[in-house]
Amino acid sequence: MAANGVAEFDGQLTSPAGVTGRRQNGYMFIVLGGSPSGRTTLTELNAAGATVATESLSRPELLREVARREPEHPRWVWDDTSQWYPVLLAAGLAVERCHDLRLCHRILRLAEAARDTELARAQPNAWDDAPLEQTASGTALFDDVADLAEASDAGSDPGARDPIAEFTLQRAALDAVAAGSPTAASRLQLLLAAESSGALIAEEMRARGLPWSTAVHDAALTELLGPRPQFGGRPRKLQAFADSIGELLQAPGLNPDSQHDLLRALKRAGLSVTSTSKWELRSQKHPVVEPLLEYKKLSRLHSANGWAWMDAWIRDERFRPEYVVGGVVTGRWATRGGGALQLPAQVRGAVRAGDGWTLVVADAAQLEPRIIAAMSRDEKMAAAGREGDLYQGLVNAGVVDTRPHAKLAMLGALYGATTGESARLMPKLARAYPRAIGLVEHAARTGERGDQVSTWLGRSSPTPGPTWHAAQRAAAEAEATAVDERRARQLARDWGRFTRNFVAQGTAAEWALCWMAGLRIRLRALADERGEPHLAYFLHDEVIVHSPEDLTDAVTDAISAAAADAGRLLFGSFPVNFALTIVAVSSYDQAK
DNA sequence: GCTTAGAGCGCC
DNA sequence: AAAAGGCGCTCTAAGC
């Protein structure tokens, strides 16, 4: 283990954890080009990147070849896992590892450590994503990102993508990084391997699906909302709430879904509110508040995860979310459709293990505090988490008086609280843990200047865009007004809060990727005639493994061991532990 | 009729 | 008093 905590690399990736490690004899890359549905070009490269063989294959030939070569543990190199892997999985072919050129390209293009490489200097090309479609609520923060992708509208043209040329460029970029900093290169290499492993996991989870009981889901909806309406419209119980809201506000027929109408009715009834949001309503004393809050809760359930959602997303008692690996700038995953990362507690009971199977639900406790403790080598903060609950550890260390205060103070540090109780408590942490808090403070200052920050493994933050820089320039002019200065300061602080959180959230995402990658390999080894335990769900710092009941203990051990592996892989022997809560349940609502 | 912005709220 | 990071989704209202 290298002093920096990253496992030593000898150029290639293999290991017990399946993420990284030692080169084996005959290690090889197999690059797939063309298309999985049409003709494929298969090119075998040796460890040095030299072409060993190349052939053109039809689809059946491709499947045969993958099956034949996989036992040699090659790293499959392709442009986009989400395009290739489902075809293989549909044919019953799982692969151990891959290199996803698109995902790795994105990381390397933005990485500070790889700034002076040919890959980073190249004009935007087909390997750069088209700009991510903004969601309806698209944030102001990222409307202004100076993104490499902006200039690229060729991103969707796979014809312009040469996987071998791109792979060669990426390897050259890593070599160039290694020439300046072997540590930076080995970390980036680990990140690329972990990201690619994540891409495999995402497709495998989608292929398996999350076991979902439509009967339980339907029963829960019926219980809370009333029977499913035959011809649309509001379910009975929801309508009853709407009616009573209308009566209490003396506005018969009021549609509570109309913010405009609702706000007007609330004001007319004498409530002093400026919006219809929950937090503001809660402070009001009026008989309408309770039914209105209840209506909002049920209405949201109905529209977001009601029968329509069930019809759209559940097939054959499986929920198959489309995960978007690295879909968040920090490296967290997103999903496309189905809102899989926002499954409300109300419907989690519908996630049910099959007969003779169980759900092993594991989540990492206070992950981000442990991450910043390890990144900053803050032994004191790491020690506070040693016994399990890090927040309680802060209380026991006499840093704050209660656990809720510990949590509030920590969130303030991670998010950059400026007002309120959180901001008042945070300085206690800064005094007790100058290293860990100093790390996030430094990240904030860096962002405020408009500079990039990077995660532990080297995923870098985007830089602010032209509007941001224009505002800073305007404030620096001699004739700048107070308004100019206030605006510039506001934008700078906003960006600083983003970069502050980026290092913690992004490194936590890397730990989670390594955890899952290692777990996946361990689970494969557990498969026997009783069945194959497999990852079924991932939520930032939490996983669900669907497992044969008989293997519950082995799966639990695998989850713990994989977490410890991930900690060592990233942070070496630094004494931080990544505490887990692990429970085996028959349905997801029983966890937590 | 279609698209888009804002509000609001679910998850971490 | 609505503060503090990252998202996705659905709804209404408004504009084309």
Side-chain angles (χ1 to χ4, degrees):
Chain A
M1 199 67 71
N4 60 57
V6 174
E8 285 172 8
F9 288 82
D10 57 359
Q12 306 317 329
L13 324 166
T14 63
S15 92
V19 182
T20 177
R22 311 283 181 272
R23 173 162 49 195
Q24 298 171 338
N25 285 339
Y27 190 88
M28 72 178 83
F29 300 101
I30 303 181
V31 185
L32 298 183
S35 144
S37 47
R39 284 200 80 78
T40 298
T41 309
L42 182 153
T43 307
E44 180 182 333
L45 306 179
N46 64 20
T51 299
V52 174
T54 181
E55 50 190 324
S56 173
L57 306 171
S58 67
R59 180 161 159 169
E61 289 166 340
L62 167 68
L63 298 177
R64 247 196 328 272
E65 200 60 12
V66 169
R68 187 175 75 81
R69 306 300 293 271
E70 177 60 15
E72 303 167 51
H73 306 283
R75 187 171 293 271
W76 299 93
V77 181
W78 46 45
D79 59 352
D80 185 349
T81 306
S82 67
Q83 299 300 310
W84 288 89
Y85 201 28
V87 174
L88 304 185
L89 287 171
L93 295 170
V95 303
E96 188 177 318
R97 50 187 157 222
C98 79
H99 180 96
D100 186 304
L101 290 164
R102 184 179 62 89
L103 295 175
C104 295
H105 179 94
R106 186 201 285 162
I107 290 170
L108 289 170
R109 280 287 265 187
L110 210 57
E112 268 190 300
R115 186 182 293 159
D116 298 320
T117 61
E118 194 184 336
L119 181 80
R121 285 194 301 266
Q123 290 300 310
N125 58 41
W127 292 94
D128 291 292
D129 295 316
L132 292 174
E133 311 90 286
Q134 295 285 324
T135 59
S137 61
T139 65
L141 197 56
F142 291 105
D143 287 346
D144 188 34
V145 166
D147 200 314
L148 286 164
E150 269 172 29
S152 165
D153 47 16
S156 57
D157 177 13
R161 292 176 170 185
D162 175 349
I164 294 179
E166 173 64 18
F167 188 48
T168 304
L169 260 184
Q170 292 188 10
R171 286 172 57 99
L174 279 175
D175 287 344
V177 174
S181 167
T183 301
S186 66
R187 290 186 185 186
L188 266 178
Q189 191 153 12
L190 173 56
L191 176 56
L192 301 187
E195 187 90 336
S196 297
S197 176
L200 295 177
I201 291 167
E203 296 308 325
E204 288 168 3
M205 288 198 295
R206 184 168 160 76
R208 295 269 197 168
L210 183 64
W212 192 278
S213 165
T214 50
V216 170
H217 188 187
D218 178 68
L221 293 176
T222 303
E223 162 76 20
L224 291 163
L225 302 169
R228 179 175 192 169
Q230 291 278 0
F231 306 103
R234 290 195 185 101
R236 182 167 49 73
K237 294 189 181 182
L238 194 57
Q239 185 59 49
F241 278 112
D243 292 342
S244 79
I245 290 162
E247 280 166 32
L248 287 162
L249 294 177
Q250 296 180 337
L254 174 72
N255 172 14
D257 293 331
S258 167
Q259 290 146 6
H260 181 247
D261 295 355
L262 177 59
L263 184 59
R264 226 172 30 178
L266 289 169
K267 283 177 170 167
R268 207 163 34 213
L271 287 86
S272 54
V273 288
T274 60
S275 77
T276 66
S277 62
K278 278 201 299 194
W279 68 264
E280 208 173 354
L281 284 167
R282 262 198 297 262
S283 67
Q284 297 290 310
K285 211 164 166 54
H286 189 284
V288 81
V289 171
E290 197 197 320
L292 182 50
L293 291 178
E294 190 62 21
Y295 175 87
K296 279 172 166 281
K297 203 164 122 191
L298 294 178
S299 170
R300 176 166 177 93
L301 171 66
H302 182 234
S303 63
N305 296 97
W307 291 281
W309 180 90
M310 193 167 83
D311 289 347
W313 291 101
I314 308 300
R315 283 279 171 281
D316 304 324
E317 303 292 278
R318 286 288 186 281
F319 177 34
R320 302 177 191 279
E322 188 178 345
Y323 292 102
V324 184
V325 174
V328 179
V329 275
T330 57
R332 273 190 177 179
W333 292 14
T335 56
R336 205 150 24 220
L341 304 184
Q342 291 104 345
L343 279 186
Q346 292 152 309
V347 302
R348 291 191 175 189
V351 180
R352 291 188 68 85
D355 284 345
W357 287 62
T358 190
L359 302 171
V360 186
V361 182
D363 82 287
Q366 306 98 34
L367 178 55
E368 290 177 11
R370 294 171 201 276
I371 288 290
I372 62 170
M375 291 177 79
S376 65
R377 278 21 204 174
D378 191 322
E379 305 216 5
K380 263 188 77 192
M381 187 181 277
R386 198 71 41 75
E387 298 306 314
D389 185 344
L390 185 139
Y391 294 142
Q392 189 57 47
L394 298 186
V395 177
N396 297 347
V399 175
V400 287
D401 54 352
T402 63
R403 190 180 185 280
H405 280 170
K407 185 171 180 175
L408 208 56
M410 190 59 80
L411 292 180
L414 291 167
Y415 294 157
T418 54
T419 61
E421 199 171 16
S422 183
R424 279 199 300 280
L425 289 166
M426 205 265 267
K428 290 177 188 285
L429 285 190
R431 278 194 296 276
Y433 307 107
R435 292 185 69 97
I437 304 303
L439 179 115
V440 289
E441 290 291 335
H442 180 256
R445 301 293 94 80
T446 305
E448 286 170 8
R449 288 195 307 271
D451 292 337
Q452 283 180 293
V453 297
S454 296
T455 59
W456 184 250
L457 294 185
R459 192 190 303 263
S460 297
S461 64
T463 50
T467 312
W468 190 94
H469 283 109
Q472 303 306 324
R473 271 197 309 276
E477 299 280 336
E479 63 270 24
T481 65
V483 172
D484 290 336
E485 288 171 10
R486 201 161 53 237
R487 174 166 163 70
R489 205 159 41 231
Q490 178 68 42
L491 287 173
R493 284 189 187 142
D494 287 350
W495 200 264
R497 277 196 302 278
F498 163 59
T499 53
R500 166 197 294 270
N501 189 250
F502 184 95
V503 295
Q505 187 184 119
T507 304
E510 288 166 352
W511 179 88
L513 273 179
C514 291
W515 179 36
M516 269 204 302
L519 175 57
R520 168 176 179 263
I521 299 300
R522 288 176 178 273
L523 292 178
R524 286 159 64 109
L526 290 180
D528 62 19
E529 69 285 349
R530 291 169 288 186
E532 301 169 13
H534 56 270
L535 280 155
Y537 188 62
F538 172 53
L539 184 55
H540 308 313
D541 59 2
E542 174 175 347
V543 297
I544 299 181
V545 175
H546 193 210
S547 169
E549 262 172 11
D550 292 346
L551 294 175
T552 302
D553 290 346
V555 166
T556 302
D557 290 347
I559 292 171
S560 297
D565 287 345
R568 276 189 298 270
L569 198 53
L570 266 66
F571 303 114
S573 58
F574 181 76
V576 63
N577 71 323
F578 289 93
L580 303 176
T581 312
I582 310 178
V583 288
V585 291
S586 56
S587 67
Y588 190 19
D589 59 331
Q590 295 160 11
K592 291 226 168 118

